[in-house]
Amino acid sequence: QVQLVESGGGLVQAGGSLRLSCAASGGTFSRYAMGWFRQAPGKERETVAAITWSGSSTVYADSVKGRFTISRDNAKNTVYLQMNSLKPEDTAVYYCASGALAWVTGKYDYWGQGTKVTVSS
């Protein structure tokens, strides 16, 4: 059973930066694709970014391209989301997820509890 724990959320002013972390345990982290998702109040969950098991390929939502960077450190069983030039519309609960076949199928098997990001204008 894979467990994912997010951290790094908080309150930041527009234009600021935050770095989210997602620590994994209980599985072979280096074999899973990882993704970051977010859900704002009253809205559906959306994919923010994803990364292959090796880190060689990444994909981003259009709304965050050029501002957010997903990365991973397989030695530390951790995936990161560096968020720069934050906007109020980035306010949401951010979740990380993992899945052995997620890069191909889009199906993630394990989810964290989320970390809240609030961007003030």
Side-chain angles (χ1 to χ4, degrees), residues 7-9 18-22 36 79-81 83 94 115 117:
S7 62
L18 282 175
R19 188 195 197 200
L20 305 184
S21 299
C22 172
W36 283 99
V79 63
Y80 305 97
L81 186 68
M83 305 186 297
Y94 284 72
T115 186
V117 172

Side-chain angles (χ1 to χ4, degrees), residues 96-117:
C96 70
S98 69
L101 302 177
W103 189 256
V104 176
T105 66
K107 180 181 181 298
Y108 288 82
D109 303 308
Y110 303 100
W111 293 81
Q113 293 300 306
T115 186
K116 187 174 182 180
V117 172

Side-chain angles (χ1 to χ4, degrees), residues 15-19 64 66-69 81-87 90:
S17 298
L18 282 175
R19 188 195 197 200
V64 307
R67 299 189 298 123
F68 291 12
T69 302
L81 186 68
Q82 178 66 43
M83 305 186 297
N84 298 329
S85 302
L86 282 161
K87 304 175 181 180
D90 294 318

Side-chain angles (χ1 to χ4, degrees), residues 16-41:
S17 298
L18 282 175
R19 188 195 197 200
L20 305 184
S21 299
C22 172
S25 61
T28 308
F29 177 78
S30 61
R31 299 175 67 177
Y32 295 117
M34 300 294 297
W36 283 99
F37 302 79
R38 67 186 181 187
Q39 187 165 20

